[in-house]
Amino acid sequence: MSWADMSPRKDVSRHAGAAEQGHVDFDSDFADLRHRARHLIAEIVRLSRQLADLQKTIRSRPGHAGRSRDGASATE
């Protein structure tokens, strides 16, 4: 499980307190969402770079030349 799959621990207590008081702090909620979005974008960039590196490694392996992207041979 990645950190993105886990709910922030502070949200539970903050929302419980807000429900009791009858108001919600939207600015804080948006700040939390922006923070999580930045982390998700960074994770996507990291995974994208890993995928590009893996593809480059696979392409450089002997015998890979002449194959199409779907794995079929060039003569088919």
Side-chain angles (χ1 to χ4, degrees), residues 32-62:
D32 289 342
L33 287 173
R34 279 194 302 270
H35 180 73
R36 289 186 73 180
R38 284 188 200 114
H39 283 287
L40 287 172
I41 290 168
E43 183 75 4
I44 290 168
V45 168
R46 184 185 67 79
L47 291 171
S48 176
R49 288 180 181 156
Q50 282 184 344
L51 178 61
D53 290 345
L54 181 60
Q55 289 172 333
K56 184 178 175 182
T57 302
I58 291 171
R59 286 187 197 115
S60 69
R61 289 173 52 185

Side-chain angles (χ1 to χ4, degrees), residues 13-42:
S13 61
R14 187 182 72 226
H15 287 298
E20 291 171 5
Q21 295 171 6
H23 71 282
V24 178
D25 183 7
F26 289 111
D27 290 335
S28 180
D29 288 343
F30 287 130
D32 289 342
L33 287 173
R34 279 194 302 270
H35 180 73
R36 289 186 73 180
R38 284 188 200 114
H39 283 287
L40 287 172
I41 290 168

